[in-house]
Amino acid sequence: MREPLILGLETSCDETAAAVVAGGRTILSNVIATQVPIHQKYGGVVPEIASRHHVELVNEVVAQALQEANCTFADLAAIAVTHGPGLVGALLVGVNTAKTLAYALGKPLVAVNHVLAHVAANFLVHEVIFPAVCLVASGGHTSLLYMTSRNHATLLGATRDDAAGEAFDKVARVLGLGYPGGPAVDKAAEQGDPTAFDFPRAFSGQNDSFEFSFSGLKSSVINTLHNMKQKGEEPNSADVAASFQQAVVDVLVEKTRLAATVKDAKTVLLAGGVAANRLLRQQLETKLRDDGRQLLCPPPVLCTDNAAMVAAAGWDLYVDQKFAGLDLNATPVLDTVWQSK
Ligand code: KG4
Ligand code: ZN
């Protein structure tokens, strides 16, 4: 007999996504309609435009997810949706779609935290042994979590200002590399010298802190470029990209390694869009291996926003019968979840 099917819905930012996942780990479909080309001409996500496109795309994406999974609405056990954090207008499209489906079909509704959904991408591809430490680095978050089970996470530390992905996006913008910035910097850095510029590494060497800060680094890159321009010097974009990327990766690796050691983690997980960064994956894996620890990370397509991860996170809530009511609302800022359950 087939395991219960969860339909996941994700509309927190600029991807309209729906997926069907069986038993919290087998992906039957994972449809992602990206709006990246639409927002590219503005150099970043325009919230109002994102919401409108979600409205236009969401029904089609859900239909395609069911078709590819070879199932119908009647086969679903529950509907899981990202209800925050994210852009409120964008989140509302997914939340209202999910509530409508749950009501019309008489199926349970499950409200998923987007950050925990990123973590759950790992459960789709790995057998995770707990306790685990997870670094979630995305466009909106940079957090270190301590996890004792699939759905019990406590926050060890987070960024005080910009998220790592946000810094990648801003630096790419000033370098004229386009949007989204992370993949563009990742690519440009291949040809650059990571030691060409000595950019700051906040909280580095502080062994009692799991916090991050990337706004000083971002400002340092902007000021360096500005000063060079004033002197009539032409910066080598690849060198700037490589030096910036190295600074971000150094602190992410240092703090994740520290957290894994302090918490004696059995496994270390990487999640979120920045987890697609090749240097981060390589250097974190190597350093953790030196410590006798294993790094687990999802394939790049499951690192960036998708709905399979939402269905995977929703599975645990479904099993625990933690259902949401039809009064579920979008919650743009959602941090208190770490203390729940
Ligand atoms: O998780 P995600 O898709 O959306 C949010 O929840 O924010 O993450 C998007 C972020 C963007 O800031 C993007 O520039 C960054 O992830 N990103 C990367 C890479 N691919 C995506 N950052 C660094 N290197 C990459 N290869
Ligand atoms: Zn995300």
Side-chain angles (χ1 to χ4, degrees), residues 54-116:
H54 286 311
V55 172
E56 284 171 15
L57 293 164
V58 71
N59 289 341
E60 206 180 306
V61 165
V62 168
Q64 198 183 330
L66 293 176
Q67 193 191 6
E68 287 182 17
N70 200 16
C71 70
T72 66
F73 281 126
D75 299 322
L76 299 174
I79 321 288
V81 64
T82 301
H83 71 118
L87 302 170
V88 69
L91 288 164
L92 276 170
V93 179
V95 167
N96 284 327
T97 305
K99 289 201 300 191
T100 308
L101 288 174
Y103 177 68
L105 301 167
K107 308 271 180 186
L109 176 68
V110 175
V112 171
N113 177 303
H114 183 77
V115 178
L116 291 182

Coordinates of all heavy atoms in Angstrom, one line a residue, residues 54-116:
H54 N 2.2 34.7 -8.6 CA 1.7 33.5 -7.8 C 0.3 33.2 -8.1 O -0.1 32.1 -8.3 CB 1.9 33.7 -6.3 CG 3.3 33.6 -5.8 ND1 4.2 32.6 -6.2 CD2 4.1 34.5 -5.0 CE1 5.4 32.8 -5.6 NE2 5.3 33.9 -4.9
V55 N -0.5 34.3 -8.1 CA -2.0 34.1 -8.4 C -2.2 33.5 -9.7 O -3.0 32.5 -9.9 CB -2.7 35.5 -8.3 CG1 -4.2 35.3 -8.7 CG2 -2.7 36.0 -6.8
E56 N -1.5 34.0 -10.7 CA -1.6 33.4 -12.1 C -1.1 32.0 -12.2 O -1.7 31.2 -13.0 CB -0.8 34.3 -13.1 CG -1.5 35.6 -13.4 CD -0.6 36.6 -14.2 OE1 0.4 36.1 -14.7 OE2 -0.9 37.8 -14.2
L57 N -0.1 31.6 -11.5 CA 0.5 30.3 -11.7 C 0.1 29.2 -10.8 O 0.2 28.0 -11.1 CB 2.1 30.5 -11.5 CG 2.8 31.4 -12.5 CD1 4.2 31.7 -12.0 CD2 3.0 30.6 -13.8
V58 N -0.5 29.6 -9.6 CA -0.6 28.5 -8.6 C -1.5 27.4 -9.0 O -1.1 26.2 -8.8 CB -1.0 29.2 -7.2 CG1 -2.4 29.6 -7.2 CG2 -0.7 28.2 -6.1
N59 N -2.6 27.6 -9.6 CA -3.5 26.5 -9.9 C -2.9 25.6 -10.9 O -3.0 24.3 -10.8 CB -4.9 27.0 -10.5 CG -5.7 27.7 -9.4 OD1 -5.5 27.4 -8.2 ND2 -6.6 28.5 -9.8
E60 N -2.2 26.2 -11.9 CA -1.6 25.4 -12.9 C -0.5 24.5 -12.3 O -0.3 23.3 -12.7 CB -1.0 26.3 -13.9 CG -0.8 25.8 -15.3 CD -0.2 26.9 -16.2 OE1 -0.7 28.0 -16.2 OE2 0.9 26.6 -16.8
V61 N 0.3 25.1 -11.4 CA 1.4 24.3 -10.8 C 0.9 23.2 -10.0 O 1.4 22.1 -10.0 CB 2.3 25.4 -10.0 CG1 3.2 24.6 -9.0 CG2 3.0 26.3 -10.9
V62 N -0.2 23.4 -9.2 CA -0.8 22.3 -8.4 C -1.3 21.2 -9.3 O -1.1 20.0 -9.1 CB -2.0 22.9 -7.6 CG1 -2.8 21.7 -6.9 CG2 -1.5 23.8 -6.5
A63 N -2.0 21.6 -10.4 CA -2.5 20.6 -11.4 C -1.4 19.7 -11.9 O -1.5 18.5 -12.0 CB -3.3 21.3 -12.5
Q64 N -0.3 20.4 -12.3 CA 0.9 19.7 -12.8 C 1.5 18.8 -11.8 O 1.9 17.6 -12.1 CB 1.9 20.7 -13.3 CG 2.9 20.1 -14.3 CD 3.9 21.1 -14.7 OE1 3.7 22.3 -14.8 NE2 5.1 20.6 -15.0
A65 N 1.6 19.2 -10.6 CA 2.2 18.4 -9.5 C 1.3 17.1 -9.3 O 1.9 16.0 -9.2 CB 2.2 19.2 -8.2
L66 N 0.0 17.2 -9.4 CA -0.8 16.0 -9.2 C -0.7 15.1 -10.4 O -0.6 13.9 -10.3 CB -2.3 16.4 -9.1 CG -2.7 17.2 -7.8 CD1 -4.2 17.6 -7.8 CD2 -2.4 16.3 -6.5
Q67 N -0.7 15.7 -11.6 CA -0.5 14.9 -12.8 C 0.8 14.1 -12.8 O 0.8 12.9 -13.1 CB -0.6 15.9 -14.0 CG -0.8 15.1 -15.3 CD -0.6 16.1 -16.5 OE1 -0.2 17.2 -16.4 NE2 -0.9 15.6 -17.7
E68 N 1.9 14.8 -12.5 CA 3.2 14.2 -12.5 C 3.3 13.1 -11.4 O 4.0 12.1 -11.6 CB 4.3 15.2 -12.3 CG 4.5 16.0 -13.6 CD 5.7 17.0 -13.5 OE1 6.5 16.9 -12.6 OE2 5.7 18.0 -14.3
A69 N 2.6 13.3 -10.4 CA 2.6 12.3 -9.3 C 1.6 11.1 -9.6 O 1.5 10.2 -8.8 CB 2.2 12.9 -8.0
N70 N 0.8 11.3 -10.7 CA -0.2 10.3 -11.1 C -1.2 10.1 -10.0 O -1.5 8.9 -9.6 CB 0.6 9.0 -11.4 CG -0.3 8.1 -12.3 OD1 -1.3 8.6 -12.9 ND2 0.0 6.8 -12.4
C71 N -1.7 11.2 -9.4 CA -2.7 11.1 -8.4 C -3.8 12.2 -8.6 O -3.6 13.1 -9.4 CB -2.1 11.1 -7.0 SG -1.4 12.7 -6.5
T72 N -4.8 12.1 -7.8 CA -5.9 13.1 -7.8 C -6.0 13.7 -6.4 O -5.4 13.2 -5.5 CB -7.2 12.5 -8.2 OG1 -7.6 11.6 -7.1 CG2 -7.2 11.7 -9.5
F73 N -6.8 14.8 -6.3 CA -7.0 15.4 -5.0 C -7.5 14.4 -4.0 O -7.1 14.5 -2.8 CB -8.0 16.5 -5.2 CG -7.5 17.8 -5.7 CD1 -8.1 18.4 -6.9 CD2 -6.4 18.5 -5.2 CE1 -7.6 19.6 -7.4 CE2 -5.9 19.6 -5.7 CZ -6.5 20.2 -6.8
A74 N -8.3 13.5 -4.5 CA -8.9 12.5 -3.5 C -7.8 11.6 -2.9 O -8.1 11.1 -1.8 CB -9.9 11.6 -4.3
D75 N -6.7 11.4 -3.5 CA -5.7 10.6 -3.0 C -4.8 11.2 -1.9 O -4.0 10.6 -1.2 CB -4.7 10.2 -4.1 CG -5.4 9.4 -5.2 OD1 -6.3 8.6 -4.9 OD2 -5.0 9.6 -6.4
L76 N -5.0 12.6 -1.7 CA -4.1 13.3 -0.8 C -4.5 13.0 0.7 O -5.7 12.9 1.0 CB -4.2 14.8 -1.0 CG -3.7 15.2 -2.4 CD1 -3.9 16.7 -2.6 CD2 -2.2 14.9 -2.7
A77 N -3.5 12.9 1.6 CA -3.8 12.8 3.0 C -4.0 14.2 3.7 O -4.7 14.4 4.6 CB -2.7 12.0 3.7
A78 N -3.2 15.2 3.2 CA -3.2 16.5 3.8 C -2.6 17.5 2.8 O -1.9 17.1 1.8 CB -2.4 16.5 5.1
I79 N -2.9 18.8 3.1 CA -2.3 19.9 2.3 C -1.4 20.7 3.2 O -1.8 21.1 4.3 CB -3.4 20.9 1.8 CG1 -4.7 20.2 1.4 CG2 -2.8 21.9 0.8 CD1 -4.6 19.5 0.1
A80 N -0.1 20.8 2.8 CA 0.9 21.5 3.6 C 1.3 22.8 2.9 O 1.5 22.7 1.7 CB 2.1 20.6 3.9
V81 N 1.3 23.9 3.7 CA 1.7 25.1 3.0 C 2.6 26.0 3.8 O 2.5 26.0 5.1 CB 0.4 25.9 2.7 CG1 -0.4 26.4 4.0 CG2 0.7 27.2 1.8
T82 N 3.5 26.7 3.2 CA 4.4 27.6 3.9 C 3.5 28.8 4.3 O 2.9 29.5 3.5 CB 5.5 28.2 2.9 OG1 6.2 27.1 2.5 CG2 6.4 29.2 3.6
H83 N 3.5 29.1 5.6 CA 2.7 30.3 6.1 C 3.6 31.4 6.6 O 3.1 32.5 7.0 CB 1.7 29.9 7.1 CG 2.3 29.5 8.5 ND1 2.0 30.2 9.6 CD2 3.1 28.6 8.8 CE1 2.7 29.7 10.6 NE2 3.4 28.7 10.2
G84 N 4.9 31.2 6.6 CA 5.9 32.2 6.9 C 7.2 31.6 7.3 O 7.3 30.4 7.3
P85 N 8.3 32.3 7.4 CA 8.4 33.7 7.1 C 8.5 34.0 5.6 O 8.8 33.0 4.8 CB 9.7 34.2 7.8 CG 10.5 32.9 7.9 CD 9.5 31.8 7.9
G86 N 8.3 35.2 5.1 CA 8.3 35.5 3.7 C 7.6 36.8 3.4 O 7.3 37.6 4.3
L87 N 7.4 37.0 2.1 CA 6.7 38.2 1.7 C 5.2 38.0 1.9 O 4.6 37.0 1.4 CB 6.9 38.5 0.2 CG 8.4 38.6 -0.2 CD1 8.5 38.6 -1.7 CD2 9.0 39.9 0.4
V88 N 4.5 38.9 2.6 CA 3.2 38.6 3.1 C 2.2 38.4 1.9 O 1.4 37.5 1.9 CB 2.7 39.7 4.1 CG1 2.5 41.1 3.4 CG2 1.4 39.2 4.7
G89 N 2.3 39.2 0.9 CA 1.4 39.1 -0.3 C 1.6 37.8 -1.0 O 0.7 37.2 -1.5
A90 N 2.8 37.4 -1.1 CA 3.2 36.2 -1.8 C 2.7 35.0 -0.9 O 2.1 34.0 -1.5 CB 4.7 36.1 -2.0
L91 N 3.0 35.0 0.4 CA 2.6 33.9 1.3 C 1.0 33.7 1.2 O 0.6 32.6 1.2 CB 3.0 34.2 2.7 CG 4.4 34.1 3.1 CD1 4.7 34.8 4.4 CD2 4.9 32.7 3.2
L92 N 0.3 34.8 1.2 CA -1.1 34.8 1.2 C -1.7 33.9 0.0 O -2.7 33.3 0.2 CB -1.7 36.2 1.2 CG -1.8 36.9 2.5 CD1 -2.2 38.3 2.3 CD2 -2.9 36.2 3.4
V93 N -1.0 34.0 -1.1 CA -1.5 33.2 -2.2 C -1.5 31.7 -1.9 O -2.5 31.0 -2.1 CB -0.7 33.5 -3.5 CG1 -1.3 32.7 -4.7 CG2 -0.8 35.0 -3.8
G94 N -0.4 31.2 -1.4 CA -0.3 29.8 -1.1 C -1.2 29.5 0.1 O -1.9 28.4 0.0
V95 N -1.3 30.3 1.1 CA -2.1 30.0 2.3 C -3.6 29.9 1.8 O -4.3 29.0 2.2 CB -1.9 31.1 3.4 CG1 -3.0 31.0 4.4 CG2 -0.5 30.9 4.0
N96 N -4.0 30.9 1.0 CA -5.4 30.9 0.6 C -5.8 29.7 -0.3 O -6.8 29.1 -0.2 CB -5.8 32.2 0.0 CG -6.0 33.3 1.1 OD1 -6.5 33.0 2.2 ND2 -5.7 34.5 0.8
T97 N -4.8 29.4 -1.2 CA -5.0 28.2 -2.0 C -5.1 26.9 -1.2 O -6.0 26.1 -1.4 CB -3.8 28.1 -3.0 OG1 -3.7 29.3 -3.7 CG2 -4.0 26.9 -4.0
A98 N -4.2 26.8 -0.2 CA -4.2 25.6 0.6 C -5.5 25.5 1.5 O -6.1 24.4 1.6 CB -3.0 25.6 1.5
K99 N -5.9 26.6 2.0 CA -7.1 26.6 2.8 C -8.4 26.3 2.0 O -9.2 25.5 2.4 CB -7.4 28.0 3.5 CG -6.4 28.3 4.5 CD -6.8 29.4 5.5 CE -7.1 30.7 4.9 NZ -7.2 31.8 6.0
T100 N -8.4 26.8 0.8 CA -9.5 26.5 -0.1 C -9.6 25.0 -0.4 O -10.6 24.3 -0.4 CB -9.4 27.3 -1.4 OG1 -9.2 28.7 -1.1 CG2 -10.6 27.1 -2.3
L101 N -8.4 24.4 -0.8 CA -8.3 23.0 -1.1 C -8.7 22.2 0.1 O -9.5 21.2 0.0 CB -6.9 22.6 -1.5 CG -6.5 23.1 -2.9 CD1 -5.0 22.8 -3.2 CD2 -7.4 22.5 -4.0
A102 N -8.2 22.5 1.3 CA -8.5 21.8 2.5 C -10.0 21.8 2.8 O -10.6 20.7 3.1 CB -7.7 22.3 3.7
Y103 N -10.6 22.9 2.7 CA -12.0 23.1 2.9 C -12.8 22.3 1.9 O -13.7 21.5 2.3 CB -12.4 24.5 2.9 CG -13.9 24.8 3.1 CD1 -14.5 24.5 4.4 CD2 -14.7 25.3 2.1 CE1 -15.8 24.7 4.6 CE2 -16.0 25.5 2.3 CZ -16.6 25.2 3.5 OH -17.9 25.4 3.7
A104 N -12.5 22.5 0.6 CA -13.3 21.9 -0.4 C -13.2 20.3 -0.4 O -14.1 19.6 -0.7 CB -12.9 22.4 -1.8
L105 N -12.0 19.9 -0.1 CA -11.7 18.4 -0.1 C -12.0 17.7 1.2 O -11.9 16.5 1.3 CB -10.2 18.2 -0.5 CG -9.8 18.7 -1.9 CD1 -8.3 18.7 -2.0 CD2 -10.5 18.0 -3.0
G106 N -12.1 18.5 2.3 CA -12.3 18.0 3.6 C -11.0 17.3 4.1 O -11.1 16.2 4.8
K107 N -9.9 17.8 3.7 CA -8.6 17.2 4.1 C -7.9 18.1 5.2 O -8.1 19.4 5.2 CB -7.6 17.2 2.9 CG -8.2 16.5 1.7 CD -8.0 15.0 1.7 CE -8.6 14.4 0.4 NZ -8.5 13.0 0.4
P108 N -7.1 17.6 6.0 CA -6.4 18.4 7.0 C -5.4 19.4 6.4 O -4.8 19.1 5.3 CB -5.6 17.4 7.9 CG -5.9 16.0 7.4 CD -6.8 16.1 6.2
L109 N -5.2 20.5 7.0 CA -4.3 21.6 6.6 C -3.2 21.6 7.5 O -3.3 21.6 8.8 CB -5.1 22.9 6.6 CG -4.3 24.2 6.3 CD1 -4.0 24.2 4.8 CD2 -5.2 25.4 6.6
V110 N -2.0 21.8 7.0 CA -0.8 21.8 7.8 C 0.0 23.1 7.5 O 0.3 23.3 6.3 CB 0.1 20.5 7.6 CG1 1.4 20.6 8.4 CG2 -0.7 19.3 8.0
A111 N 0.4 23.8 8.5 CA 1.1 25.1 8.4 C 2.6 24.9 8.6 O 3.0 24.5 9.7 CB 0.6 26.1 9.3
V112 N 3.4 25.2 7.6 CA 4.8 24.9 7.7 C 5.6 26.2 7.7 O 5.4 27.1 7.0 CB 5.2 24.1 6.4 CG1 6.8 23.9 6.3 CG2 4.6 22.7 6.4
N113 N 6.7 26.2 8.6 CA 7.6 27.3 8.7 C 8.7 27.1 7.6 O 9.3 26.0 7.4 CB 8.3 27.2 10.1 CG 9.4 28.2 10.2 OD1 10.3 28.3 9.5 ND2 9.2 29.0 11.3
H114 N 8.8 28.1 6.8 CA 9.7 28.0 5.6 C 11.2 27.6 6.0 O 11.8 26.8 5.2 CB 9.7 29.4 4.9 CG 10.5 29.4 3.6 ND1 10.0 28.8 2.5 CD2 11.7 29.9 3.3 CE1 10.9 29.0 1.5 NE2 12.0 29.6 2.0
V115 N 11.6 28.1 7.1 CA 13.0 27.8 7.5 C 13.2 26.3 7.8 O 14.1 25.6 7.4 CB 13.5 28.7 8.6 CG1 14.9 28.4 9.0 CG2 13.4 30.2 8.2
L116 N 12.2 25.8 8.6 CA 12.2 24.3 8.9 C 12.0 23.5 7.6 O 12.4 22.4 7.6 CB 11.2 24.0 10.0 CG 11.5 24.6 11.3 CD1 10.4 24.2 12.3 CD2 12.8 24.1 11.8

